Amino acid sequence: MLSRREFLSTTTAAGIGIGFAGIMPSLLYGRTPMTGRRAGIIGLDTSHSMEIIKALNGTDKTPEFEGYSIVAAYPQGSKDIKSSAERIPAYTAEAQKSGVEITDSIAALLSKVDVVFLETNDGRPRLEQAMEVLKAGKPLFVDKPVAASLKDVAAIYDTAKKYKVPVFSSSSLRYISDAQEIAAGKMIGKVLGADTYSPATLEKTHPDLFWYGIHGVEMLFAVMGTGCKEVSRVHTDGTDVVVGTWKDGRIGIFRGTRTGKHTYGGMVFGEEGVRTLGPFKGTLPLLSEIIKFFKTGVAPVPPEETLEIYSFMAAADDSKARKGMPVSLAEVAEQAGISFIQ
């Protein structure tokens, strides 16, 4: 399996993609480096929006964020997930105090900004929201979850390819301490396997792991890379354990918790040792990657990796329905209109 660095150099030189057929890496269909620095937010129903506004509009912003600010926001997020919808009035008022103009539509927002953060906490309207942004040609960061179904996730990336608009999505847990260095082989050599864990609270309107388990699953893929063949899942009221088998025989395990003290982390097993992931240092490392993405038009996570992550979680749902039987990622991907290159 190619390392992430090898993958990027290969696709740049040869103009080919691996992993998912028909979905090319963002660096192949991204536009030229971005010059506009006016950023907009869709969705003021999540704390992530406020963290971004604080980081980009605050008086003590770091030098790497200089020039970028949130100039407008469309506040509408979830309409029926109470924990999200009830935040909107207070977060809207807070955003206005930080100099953010509140718009009454996504179209109005797009007329005022160069790049967009899609932060709506609810994955169900994401496809419709993303379509407006992509058709307008605005580079787009999509917070977790990309959407509330694998089919919608694939549609967003297909649309980005069609309109040649760069798209990047990631959990902030991809950038938990040491994860990137481990993935690059700098700490324990080649990664032979990993166990990660995170909270995995459930939301009835979303596939189980899409809502919150995505954080721990993203960590798993950050260190393991792509190439997962099948998953099996053990589910109880308080815990999920999802075991993934990679094509090269490596095993990656995600544990999602719903009881006890919630935290994030993991253990990575390499040719030269074992390393613990963490601690988690918040959202700023991810925001740094987003700003780099806006500057260059190149997403640090290729589309096929994000699609594999969501296929992993969709397959875990199918395994739960089948009483823990293994489910191939190719099967669920095909059902969503995605084709693997075997």
Side-chain angles (χ1 to χ4, degrees):
M1 183 181 70
L2 293 176
S3 69
R4 188 171 290 108
R5 180 177 297 177
E6 291 169 332
F7 169 80
L8 290 176
S9 63
T10 300
T11 52
T12 301
I16 59 174
I18 62 173
F20 287 85
I23 306 292
M24 299 297 284
S26 54
L27 60 87
L28 296 183
Y29 60 77
R31 296 188 171 189
T32 55
M34 306 304 142
T35 57
R37 297 181 176 183
R38 302 172 302 163
I41 287 180
I42 298 172
L44 295 180
D45 61 337
T46 170
S47 61
H48 292 186
S49 296
M50 309 319 298
E51 291 167 3
I52 293 166
I53 291 171
K54 180 179 179 180
L56 297 186
N57 290 23
T59 56
D60 58 347
K61 72 168 64 178
T62 61
E64 64 186 312
F65 300 155
E66 284 297 334
Y68 283 84
S69 61
I70 304 299
V71 301
Y74 173 61
Q76 184 60 61
S78 180
K79 296 180 180 180
D80 58 357
I81 298 176
K82 184 178 179 181
S83 62
S84 297
E86 65 186 9
R87 296 170 175 169
I88 295 175
Y91 283 173
T92 298
E94 189 175 340
Q96 288 176 306
K97 291 178 182 178
S98 297
V100 179
E101 179 181 352
I102 303 301
T103 68
D104 60 3
S105 68
I106 293 176
L109 173 87
L110 293 173
S111 69
K112 302 175 185 295
V113 304
D114 306 302
V115 296
V116 177
F117 292 84
L118 179 46
E119 296 292 326
T120 306
N121 210 28
D122 189 342
R124 290 171 294 171
R126 287 285 184 85
L127 177 58
E128 181 180 355
Q129 293 168 330
M131 287 293 188
E132 285 196 63
V133 179
L134 297 173
K135 289 178 180 179
K138 308 290 184 178
L140 177 65
F141 171 75
V142 186
D143 209 335
K144 63 86 190 168
V146 174
S149 71
L150 181 58
K151 185 176 181 180
D152 281 2
V153 174
I156 287 172
Y157 278 96
D158 277 337
T159 303
K161 179 185 176 184
K162 175 181 178 181
Y163 289 101
K164 297 182 171 61
V165 180
V167 173
F168 169 39
S169 182
S170 176
S171 160
S172 55
L173 270 298
R174 174 174 286 271
Y175 300 99
I176 192 171
S177 297
D178 295 339
Q180 297 302 305
E181 291 77 10
I182 290 171
K186 296 178 180 179
M187 289 188 165
I188 55 175
K190 179 183 177 181
V191 173
L192 303 178
D195 301 346
T196 62
Y197 54 85
S198 77
T201 52
L202 305 178
E203 165 53 49
K204 64 183 181 180
T205 59
H206 288 62
D208 286 355
L209 301 185
F210 280 40
W211 184 249
Y212 218 91
I214 174 62
H215 290 306
V217 175
E218 184 101 37
M219 269 193 288
L220 184 64
F221 275 82
V223 294
M224 290 287 291
T226 56
C228 185
K229 179 176 64 174
E230 65 179 21
V231 303
S232 58
R233 174 181 174 188
V234 177
H235 170 81
T236 68
D237 288 344
T239 307
D240 280 298
V241 176
V242 184
V243 179
T245 302
W246 265 246
K247 293 177 182 178
D248 56 7
R250 296 180 302 147
I251 301 294
I253 301 172
F254 164 64
R255 174 181 289 267
T257 60
R258 287 181 289 278
T259 58
K261 184 177 180 180
H262 293 313
T263 187
Y264 307 89
M267 190 75 71
V268 188
F269 306 91
E271 286 184 323
E272 300 171 7
V274 179
R275 189 83 179 192
T276 300
L277 291 172
F280 175 51
K281 296 183 178 180
T283 60
L284 287 183
L286 171 59
L287 186 55
S288 295
E289 295 298 321
I290 297 170
I291 296 302
K292 291 177 187 176
F293 160 67
F294 286 150
K295 289 178 179 179
T296 65
V298 178
V301 183
E304 70 281 350
E305 181 167 346
T306 300
L307 287 165
E308 186 169 319
I309 288 170
Y310 282 83
S311 296
F312 178 100
M313 295 188 293
D317 258 15
D318 278 11
S319 178
K320 172 188 171 184
R322 300 180 196 182
K323 308 300 182 184
M325 292 292 292
V327 175
S328 76
L329 271 66
E331 177 184 343
V332 298
E334 183 178 4
Q335 292 170 356
I338 305 166
S339 297
F340 277 96
I341 296 177
Q342 298 293 345

